[in-house]
Structure formats: structure tokens, C-alpha cells
Amino acid sequence: MRAVLAGVLALVSVAGNASAQTPPAVVATPPAPSQPTATIVAEPAAVFIAACDQDADGRTTRAELTACVTRSFARIDTGNSGSLGYIGYADWALLWLGDRNALPSPFGVDANQDNRITPDELQAEFTRLFDRYDRDRDGVVTRAEVLSIRSGLLPVDSGKRKRR
């Protein structure tokens, strides 16, 4: 009987030690609230035009834009060839628009479709964009004019899509 009682006590002791080593239950942390979707945005070309404001008055004139496009082109055309291939244009877009694939695309800028982009072609594209952003047609582009209001945007999906 003593042997049985000692065996039971030994089992209880082992079971007690096992439960003492069991890790506590993990409590799930509630997800952080997501940031609201932006409703005011600016296209990369619009940001470039705004950045061409040389006298820091918050207004970009056509003359400021023309000088800025000329300087930005020369910065990439280090061999002074007078034109950029599409890869060179991608380098220009990365430096000045923030991404190699930002619009305007080289296919739209290359007016004669010779797979080369000249300063004149780049100037023509930015003249067209300047006209588009100059909403009040006063000959300058302001910070307010380069902003776009986007409505009806859905929140960014955090990877929790429902499968159908």
C-alpha cells in the first residue's frame, strides 16, 4: 500500500511540475487602426513642376520650368549627346520624378518614336503638363494647382482579402 501511495504521489508531483512548465496562453493584440487613405495627392510630374520654383515664391513660371527641365536633362546626359535612350530616361525619371516608371513615360515623351528623347521633346511634354496644371490660365502653376482631390478611394488592403 505504501508503494502504491508513493507511486501516486510521484505521478502527482510529475504532473504538477509539467503544468508549472506550461507556457501561459498567448493573448492576441488587437490590430492597430489603419491610416486613412489619402484624398489629396500630387502626380510625380506635378511635384517636379512645383520643385522648379527657383525664387521660392510658391509659383512656378514657364521660364522657371524651362530652365529646370534643361538643368535636369543635362544632369543625366553626362556625355552631352543631346538625347537619352529609354534607360537614360528611366534614370532621369528616378532622379527627378522619384520612380523609373513614373509618368510621363518615355513612349509618350518620344514624339518622333525614334527611341531617343531630346531636350526639345522633354520640354514639349512639360509645356503640355504645365498647361494642364495651370487651371486658372494665369501663366504660373501654384502648389494648390498641382494637387488633385481623389474621392471614393478604398482603404489600402492589409492583406486580409476574403477568398471567394
Side-chain angles (χ1 to χ4, degrees):
M1 175 97 158
R2 266 188 186 177
V4 172
L5 184 56
V8 169
L9 287 175
L11 285 175
V12 169
S13 173
V14 169
N17 286 342
S19 67
Q21 294 176 0
T22 304
V26 177
V27 178
T29 310
S34 63
Q35 183 167 343
T37 304
T39 56
I40 300 177
V41 296
E43 298 173 28
V47 173
F48 175 78
I49 290 171
C52 289
D53 172 23
Q54 291 299 298
D55 60 5
D57 65 352
R59 302 159 37 100
T60 303
T61 64
R62 287 183 190 277
E64 287 173 321
L65 178 62
T66 299
C68 185
V69 170
T70 299
R71 280 191 310 276
S72 71
F73 190 93
R75 175 89 194 294
I76 298 299
D77 185 22
T78 56
N80 296 318
S81 66
S83 68
L84 301 173
Y86 286 6
I87 293 173
Y89 179 82
D91 293 341
W92 179 90
L94 177 62
L95 182 61
W96 299 105
L97 303 179
D99 190 273
R100 293 182 185 281
N101 298 309
L103 295 177
S105 80
F107 306 106
V109 176
D110 184 13
N112 63 3
Q113 302 298 301
D114 66 350
N115 297 326
R116 305 292 300 172
I117 295 170
T118 64
D120 289 341
E121 288 173 320
L122 193 59
Q123 290 287 2
E125 181 64 17
F126 274 92
T127 296
R128 186 186 70 73
L129 289 166
F130 185 95
D131 291 341
R132 185 178 123 205
Y133 295 123
D134 183 14
R135 287 184 250 151
D136 61 5
R137 306 289 179 239
D138 65 350
V140 297
V141 173
T142 64
R143 302 298 193 270
E145 288 174 317
V146 300
L147 298 177
S148 298
I149 305 295
R150 305 282 188 200
S151 62
L153 293 177
L154 299 175
V156 176
D157 185 9
S158 61
K160 299 177 185 175
R161 292 187 179 194
K162 294 181 181 177
R163 305 257 172 169
R164 291 183 184 178

